[in-house]
Amino acid sequence: MIQKEKYRDLIEKLPFQQIGDTPTVRYYTDWKVFESRLNLDYASSEDKLPGFLSKLKPNITLGLSLRATNVPEGVIVEDLTKVLEVRPMAIAGVNTKMQAYHAYRWNTGAYIKITDESSIEDLVIVSLGGDGYLGHHIIIDIGERANARIKIIDYGGPNASLKTLITEMTARNNSKLEVDILSLYHELHASFIQHYLRIEDQAEAVVRILTSGGSMTRFESDNLLLGRLSKLDAKASNVARPSTKTDFLLNAVHKGPESEGFIGARGVVLGDGYLAQRGLAKIDHEASWASSEVESHVTILGERGRGYAVPMLEIHTGDVTKAGHSASVTTIQEDHLFYLRSRGLNRDELERMLITGAIEYSSVASSLGIDPLEIFLI
Amino acid sequence: MPGLEVENLHVRIENKKILHGITLNVEYGSIHAIMGPNGSGKSSLAYTIMGRESYEVEEGDIRLDGESLLDLPTEERALKGIYMALQDPPQVPGVRLSTLMIAAINKKLGNLDLTRVKDPSIVKKMYKYAEELNLSRDILQREINVGFSGGEKKRSELLQALVLEPKVIILDEPDSGLDIDGVKKVANILKELKAEGKAIMLITHYARMFKYVTPDIVTVIIDGKIAVQGGPEVANLVEEKGYAYIRQRFFKR
């Protein structure tokens, strides 16, 4: 309880964004949207997944409360509010107003332990928004030499509501993790999302992300390659639909020697949508002979759309195996259009192909068994 | 066989006239080389044939099998069977090379769903030609021209020509940026395409490729006009004497 009160104080004291969060000290997130919803009451009803996602059979659902059904062998699920031995925000830290807000207000949480050496084919976790504020906190501990495939469906319905979701994942030594994250929101929904992943010695993580929608979505995936020979392969697809705004960050921080990281993102902006697609690859001084690459490409299809691709590469050691970055923001330029038309395709087909291509980049849609364009059916 | 016919073509971009009465034919089963110095109008001719919007035809006609193409947009010309391999094709992040080829084939076949592979032989064909062009199969899964080397771009353009099976193939400087082995490879493929009956328009600065594949007709364009047209000996003349000589000799009144 004392801890909670401390967070309430921090909501007042901390800024929405720390200086240095971006090299340009620019605000890519429209924090006013969050500010205007901080006083929302807790939701009294939770959203329902759209039809095309209803075929997924969730094992763990976080809405107004926590529900767990058909949990596979090798997975232990506990109500985080009742687990005393783990401390939420231990990995995430509390450095900004929204983190403090989440830490103070989150109402539903799950502690998920994947036991050592177990092999989990598919663990489906669903986080639902509601008609007011909902805060979900998930801690996932993937045991040593375990092999886990996890799907996280994060959905926000048609209310002018607010959701905060923070996950803190640890891939222990020699474990293998594949995680698909779908974050899908209606136009009025606001979301503050942070996914933290700590990758230990010789552990390997494949992270796939697909985001779309929200009046303001702040999505951050922070991946710490902590262990020696740890590996990360992270790919994201972002679709800024008309009247939606997304500030997306995909980061890899290397602390483990000989760690390998790749982070890539593809985005499309439709109508008057807004997408800031940022990525940081950072190699710390202790991560000798690490390799890291960051890529970010955004295509603006809407005439009034805005898009930014901001990749950053920071290297604090002289011994690097490989480091590189690339980025582009393109509109459908005449030369693109001509090129694809010269293959027999018209503008509508080209646009559909660009949207589908950007969505397929992360392979989340195929992994969930949905058609890429079904995300427009919410 | 008529193939592609260009007749008295006058073209401008905005206020600048760039082609002045070009007339030439590219017959099926032949290679027609278009040579000329930088800025002479070679690529402009190719873009005009393909229907690029900024190229305005003031006078003349372009016909395929006797039918005028002038009123058709670029995609319709492609569907009629004209293919252009660009000199420097743009990057298209988010779209895989295989996705583009599958969509183009489906469109040509009239399939409504452009994404599905209805005939698995198409995939086999992609693999076969990729191998012939010394391209890794992985390139099919990569985004179009993103991170491609200069040579990979050229070979990818040629790969599409092979897979899409057009009637007329326009190649804009397919040899630039290729090493000698690459040039030989392209030349051999051109020979095969010619033997299959394709009409090939080969745009190039240099005659080096003609050591390995002999053009049937060579047209030299300078300042948007045809300076000289003839057999392979014209390419030899260009190689020997250079464009300054050609300009002086054939434009001298």
Side-chain angles (χ1 to χ4, degrees):
Chain A
M1 195 52 80
I2 293 166
Q3 190 78 356
K4 282 253 177 189
E5 289 310 310
K6 186 184 88 180
Y7 291 139
R8 189 168 65 178
D9 291 344
L10 286 175
I11 297 172
E12 300 301 322
K13 286 178 187 160
L14 288 171
F16 276 104
Q17 183 174 313
Q18 294 287 355
I19 300 293
D21 182 30
T22 83
T24 53
V25 199
R26 185 187 173 121
Y27 285 74
Y28 288 100
T29 301
D30 183 357
W31 294 111
K32 285 183 187 141
V33 174
F34 293 108
E35 196 168 24
S36 67
R37 299 186 189 188
L38 292 181
N39 293 323
L40 277 178
D41 289 335
Y42 284 104
S44 58
S45 68
E46 64 184 33
D47 298 321
K48 287 189 170 49
L49 284 180
F52 64 91
L53 289 175
S54 60
K55 60 192 163 201
L56 294 165
K57 302 287 175 226
N59 304 106
I60 300 160
T61 303
L62 295 91
L64 298 178
S65 61
L66 173 70
R67 279 108 63 195
T69 47
N70 298 323
V71 175
E73 200 176 322
V75 180
I76 298 162
V77 183
E78 292 183 63
D79 185 336
L80 189 59
T81 58
K82 292 171 186 159
V83 177
L84 300 175
E85 57 270 29
V86 292
R87 193 164 63 83
M89 309 303 289
I91 298 174
V94 178
N95 301 306
T96 65
K97 192 186 286 293
M98 287 308 293
Q99 285 172 325
Y101 179 83
H102 170 86
Y104 178 63
R105 285 200 82 189
W106 67 267
N107 60 312
T108 307
Y111 171 72
I112 301 165
K113 170 73 187 172
I114 292 170
T115 53
D116 290 356
E117 300 186 11
S118 58
S119 183
I120 307 303
E121 277 297 306
D122 250 340
L123 183 71
V124 180
I125 303 168
V126 172
S127 165
L128 299 168
D131 58 355
Y133 168 73
L134 284 177
H136 296 156
H137 199 96
I138 306 171
I139 294 175
I140 306 175
D141 192 338
I142 295 117
E144 293 191 1
R145 295 174 298 283
N147 197 336
R149 294 184 63 176
I150 299 173
K151 294 178 168 61
I152 299 175
I153 315 298
D154 162 20
Y155 176 70
N159 299 297
S161 54
L162 172 65
K163 181 162 82 170
T164 60
L165 166 64
I166 291 184
T167 66
E168 297 177 282
M169 289 181 266
T170 302
R172 303 272 175 205
N173 296 345
N174 298 291
S175 63
K176 285 187 180 169
L177 167 68
E178 281 181 45
V179 59
D180 293 297
I181 301 169
L182 171 65
S183 286
L184 193 56
Y185 314 112
H186 274 255
E187 281 72 6
L188 294 176
H189 186 86
S191 296
F192 177 83
I193 311 297
Q194 293 199 289
H195 294 284
Y196 291 88
L197 170 59
R198 199 167 58 175
I199 310 166
E200 297 188 344
D201 281 358
Q202 298 190 55
E204 295 177 15
V206 175
V207 177
R208 300 287 183 250
I209 300 165
L210 170 57
T211 77
S212 183
S215 61
M216 186 69 239
T217 297
R218 161 81 177 205
F219 185 107
E220 186 165 343
S221 167
D222 287 309
N223 303 282
L224 176 63
L225 290 120
L226 190 64
R228 189 177 155 271
L229 293 166
S230 53
K231 284 185 187 170
L232 168 72
D233 175 13
K235 285 184 176 175
S237 304
N238 299 302
V239 180
R241 304 195 310 269
S243 308
T244 68
K245 284 188 261 181
T246 302
D247 181 16
F248 176 87
L249 297 92
L250 178 56
N251 302 325
V253 175
H254 294 252
K255 287 189 182 289
E258 300 173 78
S259 52
E260 284 177 34
F262 172 82
I263 53 176
R266 298 289 182 271
V268 282
V269 179
L270 311 175
D272 60 352
Y274 166 91
L275 172 63
Q277 193 170 265
R278 301 190 271 157
L280 166 70
K282 182 179 176 185
I283 302 180
D284 267 348
H285 66 278
E286 62 266 55
S288 49
W289 304 115
S291 74
S292 199
E293 285 180 89
V294 54
E295 277 183 19
S296 180
H297 296 285
V298 174
T299 305
I300 301 174
L301 298 177
E303 282 180 15
R304 288 177 297 132
R306 285 181 297 151
Y308 304 91
V310 190
M312 289 173 276
L313 188 61
E314 276 185 38
I315 302 170
H316 298 273
T317 173
D319 302 324
V320 173
T321 301
K322 189 164 77 172
H325 72 288
S326 67
S328 67
V329 178
T330 52
T331 50
I332 293 195
Q333 289 161 354
E334 198 272 334
D335 61 335
H336 288 99
L337 196 54
F338 170 74
Y339 182 68
L340 295 165
R341 288 176 70 192
S342 75
R343 302 310 187 242
L345 306 167
N346 61 36
R347 189 184 174 107
D348 286 349
E349 288 158 348
L350 160 64
E351 288 196 358
R352 216 162 28 240
M353 193 181 284
L354 286 167
I355 295 166
T356 307
I359 294 171
E360 285 178 340
Y361 174 74
S362 67
S363 73
V364 170
S366 64
S367 170
L368 297 177
I370 61 172
D371 187 273
L373 299 179
E374 279 185 312
I375 64 164
F376 292 93
L377 298 178
I378 65 167
Chain B
M1 291 290 282
L4 182 73
E5 297 168 281
V6 175
E7 186 185 341
N8 189 31
L9 195 65
H10 291 258
V11 176
R12 70 167 60 241
I13 300 179
E14 293 175 349
N15 293 323
K16 189 179 176 193
K17 188 150 179 180
I18 48 169
L19 295 179
H20 306 261
I22 301 287
T23 296
L24 54 85
N25 294 340
V26 187
E27 294 183 0
Y28 291 124
S30 75
I31 297 175
H32 189 140
I34 308 290
M35 300 185 77
N38 282 332
S40 57
K42 307 184 299 293
S43 296
S44 295
L45 172 62
Y47 285 132
T48 307
I49 293 168
M50 207 65 232
R52 193 163 187 166
E53 281 171 355
S54 44
Y55 292 78
E56 185 194 339
V57 175
E58 286 187 326
E59 197 182 329
D61 203 358
I62 302 164
R63 290 184 294 271
L64 179 65
D65 300 335
E67 185 190 344
S68 177
L69 300 175
L70 286 188
D71 292 336
L72 299 180
T74 298
E75 58 269 32
E76 293 295 328
R77 296 182 195 204
L79 294 171
K80 291 270 179 198
I82 301 184
Y83 174 86
M84 180 179 176
L86 271 67
Q87 188 180 344
D88 186 18
Q91 292 186 12
V92 189
V95 181
R96 291 174 182 165
L97 181 58
S98 58
T99 306
L100 171 65
M101 285 194 277
I102 289 163
I105 289 167
N106 278 325
K107 186 75 189 286
K108 196 170 144 189
L109 296 173
N111 296 330
L112 290 177
D113 184 349
L114 301 185
T115 60
R116 304 270 180 262
V117 179
K118 291 206 168 171
D119 179 0
S121 68
I122 290 167
V123 178
K124 283 185 193 159
K125 202 194 286 182
M126 284 185 203
Y127 288 159
K128 177 183 160 231
Y129 289 131
E131 200 172 308
E132 269 185 35
L133 287 160
N134 290 337
L135 286 166
S136 154
R137 281 183 183 187
D138 294 348
I139 204 163
L140 298 168
Q141 298 311 316
R142 285 167 61 190
E143 296 158 285
I144 301 164
N145 299 319
V146 176
F148 285 21
S149 67
E152 281 176 331
K153 281 185 186 175
K154 297 288 180 196
R155 283 177 286 160
S156 154
E157 292 290 285
L158 209 49
L159 172 66
Q160 293 173 60
L162 290 164
V163 172
L164 300 179
E165 296 190 343
K167 293 180 186 171
V168 178
I169 300 170
I170 302 168
L171 300 156
D172 193 358
E173 311 255 1
D175 53 337
S176 65
L178 292 185
D179 59 24
I180 193 66
D181 291 337
V183 172
K184 282 182 189 171
K185 177 66 75 179
V186 171
N188 284 336
I189 286 171
L190 292 185
K191 280 186 210 166
E192 284 171 27
L193 289 168
K194 177 184 166 179
E196 286 171 17
K198 308 290 184 200
I200 298 165
M201 180 190 276
L202 172 61
I203 296 171
T204 185
H205 279 295
Y206 309 108
R208 66 172 182 159
M209 187 178 278
F210 304 148
K211 283 181 195 164
Y212 311 105
V213 57
T214 308
D216 298 279
I217 298 176
V218 178
T219 296
V220 178
I221 296 178
I222 295 176
D223 299 336
K225 298 174 203 159
I226 291 179
V228 57
Q229 201 169 60
E233 70 282 358
V234 173
N236 295 336
L237 189 66
V238 169
E239 188 75 348
E240 239 175 70
K241 307 274 188 178
Y243 289 116
Y245 170 82
I246 302 281
R247 181 196 296 271
Q248 196 184 25
R249 176 169 166 195
F250 292 99
F251 283 157
K252 201 174 170 187
R253 295 192 184 272

